[in-house]
């Protein structure tokens, strides 16, 4: 954790004052002050206007944006217990966030809700000035505070099992820890399930087929690093998470860590820093397919490198080494040793960690499995020029302007269902730019999504709103007499 952070002296009083400031700010800007979405029932229960899957940063911020727009019949569902949502205290193993500390997003422009206001309320302005980047544990603390002060409606311990289209509504099924199932109906569904939200974490087949399950782990999994003390660890991957896991193993006493990547050089240019400009963050979705493809092909090609401090976190250990131009081509057991094959020769380890990212495949997720064959992908809608092909980009969903899934065929019977399911996961990136799974793009993505959800709801209920106006008969002028002196 960040060693410059001072003790929490005055934390309670500082947060109490900040809580009061948040409540005052929200009261001042609360206009209009009317709920406006007509209520609907199905099978004796209130139909949710919007159901959000995922109570991480994207799901919470979306619920707040809807609340700001007076759409309050909303619920956020998360399979984790309270406090365990998202990656920050589960499988994220960086010391700090990678984004600049001054990033805003969940606050949606309310100064008292910013990470800076929360941090200064506990540690003071001087501590903020000295801070380099926000420690990931404190980011989770901030999100927990944000959820509580805004009274966001989160239902934890709800494992989403899937969605069906039933008489014009989305039928959502959840499993609880006791094994029971619960059904909720919703008009709109937002998937805010993070990096792997439209696929699964990728482990090469030769690892799955060649090694016992107890001898490898993906960087997204729970790893007992203490049990790896003194062991020879192999790490496959060039991204930041591969280096994070290598560093964690080294810090927990691994005998040696060898990190291997197929690239001839470790990536060094971070396109996310380039993307952090208002033009890209706000207006990228309006570009042509040709331009969006060009942007994303370059961004995906560069990938996100390990930050300098992350690399040094590994390099400071004499028992750390890395091998470039060293893809793994096979893996097998030789007695109690793992043998990994590569073009540069054979390597032997006691345990291997896989940091090869994720695969975008809607059929692998319970959230999307039931309608995956109907969803249009980039490969269905766009043909790249010769030399610019990308099988990876082709596998991503091609989204509409409100993050909604689109059908492969216009006459698909599930087309109306897809129009009401909004994809706010990392897989929205080729279509929409940085959004729900990125702190950097959240401010722009959340507002765009919330506006689209509200617009769809209002248009769908347009006739009822007109009837409400025609029936409106509350007089404002109540007397024609002279005023009383």
């Amino acid at each position: 954790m960040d060693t410059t952070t001072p003790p929490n002296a005055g934390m309670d009083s500082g947060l109490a004052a900040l809580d009061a400031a948040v409540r005052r700010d929200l009261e001042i800007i609360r206009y209009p002050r009317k709920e406006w979405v007509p209520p609907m029932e199905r099978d004796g229960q209130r139909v949710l206007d919007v159901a959000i899957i995922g109570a991480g940063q994207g799901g919470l911020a979306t619920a707040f944006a809807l609340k700001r727009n007076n759409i309050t019949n909303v619920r956020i569902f998360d399979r984790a217990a309270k406090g365990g949502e998202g990656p920050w205290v589960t499988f994220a193993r960086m010391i700090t966030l990678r984004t600049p500390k001054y990033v805003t997003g969940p606050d949606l422009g309310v100064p008292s809700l910013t990470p800076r206001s929360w941090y200064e309320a506990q540690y003071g302005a001087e501590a903020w000035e000295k801070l380099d980047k926000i420690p990931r544990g404190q980011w989770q603390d901030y999100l927990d505070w944000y959820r509580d002060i805004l009274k966001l409606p989160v239902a934890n311990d709800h494992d989403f099992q899937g969605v069906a289209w039933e008489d014009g509504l989305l039928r959502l099924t959840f499993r609880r820890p006791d094994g029971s199932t619960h059904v909720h109906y919703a008009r709109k569904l937002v998937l805010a399930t993070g990096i792997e939200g439209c696929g699964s974490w990728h482990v090469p087949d030769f690892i799955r087929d060649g090694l016992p399950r107890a001898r490898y782990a993906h960087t997204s999994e729970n790893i007992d690093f203490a049990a790896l003390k003194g062991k020879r660890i192999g790490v496959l991957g060039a991204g930041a998470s591969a280096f994070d896991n290598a560093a964690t193993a080294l810090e927990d006493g691994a005998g040696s860590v060898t990190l291997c990547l197929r690239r001839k050089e470790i990536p060094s240019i971070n396109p996310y820093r380039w993307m952090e400009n208002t033009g890209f963050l706000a207006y990228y979705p309006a570009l042509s397919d040709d331009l969006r493809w060009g942007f994303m092909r370059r961004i995906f090609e560069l990938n996100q490198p390990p930050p300098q401090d992350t690399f040094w976190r590994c390099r400071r250990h004499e028992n750390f080494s890395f091998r470039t131009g060293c893809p793994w081509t096979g893996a097998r057991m030789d007695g109690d040793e793992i043998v990994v094959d590569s073009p540069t020769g054979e390597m032997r380890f006691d345990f291997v960690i896989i940091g090869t990212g994720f695969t975008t495949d809607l059929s692998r997720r319970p959230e999307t499995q039931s309608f995956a064959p109907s969803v249009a992908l980039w490969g269905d809608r766009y043909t790249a020029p010769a030399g610019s092909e990308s099988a990876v980009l082709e596998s991503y969903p091609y989204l509409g302007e409100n993050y909604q899934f689109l059908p492969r065929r216009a006459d698909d019977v599930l087309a109306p269902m897809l129009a009401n399911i909004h994809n706010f996961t990392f897989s929205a990136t080729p279509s929409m730019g940085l959004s729900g799974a990125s702190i950097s793009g959240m401010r722009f993505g959340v507002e765009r999504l919330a506006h689209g959800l509200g617009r769809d709801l209002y248009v769908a209920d347009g006739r009822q709103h007109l009837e409400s106006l025609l029936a409106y008969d509350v007089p404002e002028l109540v007397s024609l007499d002279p005023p009383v002196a």
Side-chain angles (χ1 to χ4, degrees), residues 17-310:
L18 181 61
D19 289 353
V22 170
R23 286 189 285 268
R24 183 175 187 275
D25 287 346
L26 294 180
E27 177 63 22
I28 289 172
I29 63 176
R30 191 165 69 91
Y31 172 81
R33 300 195 171 198
K34 298 177 182 177
E35 293 189 21
W36 54 271
V37 183
M40 184 183 297
E41 287 194 358
R42 173 67 58 88
D43 295 344
Q45 65 168 285
R46 177 83 180 269
V47 174
L48 293 169
D49 294 325
V50 183
I52 300 170
I53 308 300
Q57 58 195 23
L60 295 177
T62 300
F64 175 48
L66 292 170
K67 189 174 183 178
R68 287 279 305 274
N69 291 340
N70 295 298
I71 302 172
T72 59
N73 180 31
V74 173
R75 191 171 300 175
I76 313 168
F77 299 93
D78 200 289
R79 65 187 176 193
K82 186 175 182 180
E85 308 90 351
W88 308 113
V89 294
T90 52
F91 63 85
R93 296 185 175 106
M94 71 282 276
I95 300 295
T96 67
L97 302 187
R98 309 197 195 285
T99 46
K101 68 178 182 181
Y102 52 77
V103 69
T104 62
D107 51 273
L108 301 184
V110 179
S112 57
L113 273 173
T114 58
R116 176 175 180 171
S117 292
W118 173 84
Y119 192 93
E120 289 185 347
Q122 298 181 85
Y123 308 117
E126 184 179 351
W128 173 262
E129 292 302 321
K130 292 180 180 178
L131 184 70
D132 179 25
K133 295 176 182 176
I134 301 173
R136 62 176 172 85
Q138 290 185 346
W139 183 254
Q140 181 65 52
D141 292 342
Y142 163 72
L143 293 175
D144 292 343
W145 168 80
Y146 175 93
R147 162 182 169 170
D148 291 340
I149 188 62
L150 295 176
K151 296 182 172 61
L152 299 178
V154 179
N156 287 100
D157 301 308
H158 278 68
D159 190 5
F160 185 44
Q161 299 296 295
V163 56
W165 188 238
E166 188 174 288
D167 298 327
L169 290 176
L170 299 164
R171 186 179 189 273
L172 315 177
T173 303
F174 298 89
R175 184 177 297 279
R176 300 299 310 281
D178 62 5
S180 62
T181 58
H182 293 248
V183 171
H184 291 271
Y185 289 94
R187 299 179 65 182
K188 288 284 187 181
L189 176 64
V190 174
L191 301 178
T193 45
I195 294 289
E196 82 282 18
C198 280
S200 61
W201 296 107
H202 175 61
V203 175
D205 288 342
F206 67 83
I207 297 288
R208 292 184 187 277
D209 298 339
L211 301 180
R213 188 64 185 88
R215 302 300 290 271
Y216 71 89
H218 192 274
T219 55
S220 66
E221 295 178 314
N222 260 332
I223 300 175
D224 184 1
F225 285 96
L228 302 181
K229 186 174 182 178
K231 304 290 187 181
R232 299 166 297 171
I233 311 301
V235 179
L236 178 63
S241 66
F243 282 86
D244 288 333
N245 279 262
T248 303
L250 290 162
E251 291 161 358
D252 279 22
S256 66
V257 173
T258 302
L259 186 146
C260 302
L261 56 154
R262 69 175 183 274
R263 299 184 186 219
K264 294 182 179 180
E265 295 180 353
I266 296 175
S268 61
I269 300 170
N270 188 351
Y272 280 70
R273 299 292 82 86
W274 180 92
M275 288 188 276
E276 289 165 351
N277 66 81
T278 301
F280 180 86
L281 295 174
Y283 309 121
Y284 167 86
L287 295 175
S288 67
D289 287 357
D290 278 331
L291 285 173
R292 287 191 290 176
W293 184 272
F295 272 100
M296 287 299 149
R297 189 170 182 275
R298 177 58 172 163
I299 288 166
F300 279 36
E301 177 185 59
L302 288 173
N303 201 357
Q304 191 172 15
Q308 185 64 66
D309 54 356
T310 300

Side-chain angles (χ1 to χ4, degrees), residues 379-390:
D380 299 318
R381 296 295 182 95
Y382 180 76
T383 301
S388 297
E389 299 90 344
S390 170

Side-chain angles (χ1 to χ4, degrees), residues 232-439:
R232 299 166 297 171
I233 311 301
V235 179
L236 178 63
S241 66
F243 282 86
D244 288 333
N245 279 262
T248 303
L250 290 162
E251 291 161 358
D252 279 22
S256 66
V257 173
T258 302
L259 186 146
C260 302
L261 56 154
R262 69 175 183 274
R263 299 184 186 219
K264 294 182 179 180
E265 295 180 353
I266 296 175
S268 61
I269 300 170
N270 188 351
Y272 280 70
R273 299 292 82 86
W274 180 92
M275 288 188 276
E276 289 165 351
N277 66 81
T278 301
F280 180 86
L281 295 174
Y283 309 121
Y284 167 86
L287 295 175
S288 67
D289 287 357
D290 278 331
L291 285 173
R292 287 191 290 176
W293 184 272
F295 272 100
M296 287 299 149
R297 189 170 182 275
R298 177 58 172 163
I299 288 166
F300 279 36
E301 177 185 59
L302 288 173
N303 201 357
Q304 191 172 15
Q308 185 64 66
D309 54 356
T310 300
F311 182 79
W312 281 336
R313 190 180 162 202
C314 294
R315 200 70 175 86
R316 64 188 294 268
H317 295 270
E318 293 183 358
N319 53 343
F320 170 73
S321 62
F322 61 91
R323 299 187 182 186
T324 57
C326 184
W328 293 1
T329 56
R332 64 187 187 279
M333 297 300 299
D334 181 11
D336 196 41
E337 289 185 310
I338 297 170
V339 180
V340 170
D341 299 318
S342 80
T344 62
E346 183 182 278
M347 294 172 283
R348 291 178 177 259
F349 303 114
D350 300 309
F351 191 84
V352 294
I353 299 174
I354 310 302
T356 48
F358 57 91
T359 299
T360 301
D361 183 348
L362 300 175
S363 68
R364 298 191 183 192
R365 298 286 299 192
E367 301 97 315
T368 56
Q369 191 176 58
S370 65
F371 57 84
S374 295
V375 172
L377 307 179
W378 268 86
D380 299 318
R381 296 295 182 95
Y382 180 76
T383 301
S388 297
E389 299 90 344
S390 170
V392 172
L393 278 176
E394 288 180 357
S395 69
Y396 278 70
Y398 185 99
L399 303 178
E401 62 179 345
N402 298 328
Y403 292 87
Q404 75 273 30
F405 289 112
L406 297 175
R408 276 189 170 136
R409 302 182 314 278
D411 61 350
D412 193 308
V413 68
L414 292 183
M417 172 182 172
L418 297 180
N420 290 293
I421 302 177
H422 301 258
N423 176 27
F424 207 50
T425 73
F426 180 83
S427 68
T429 305
S431 296
M432 309 303 294
L434 295 179
S435 51
S438 167
I439 300 171

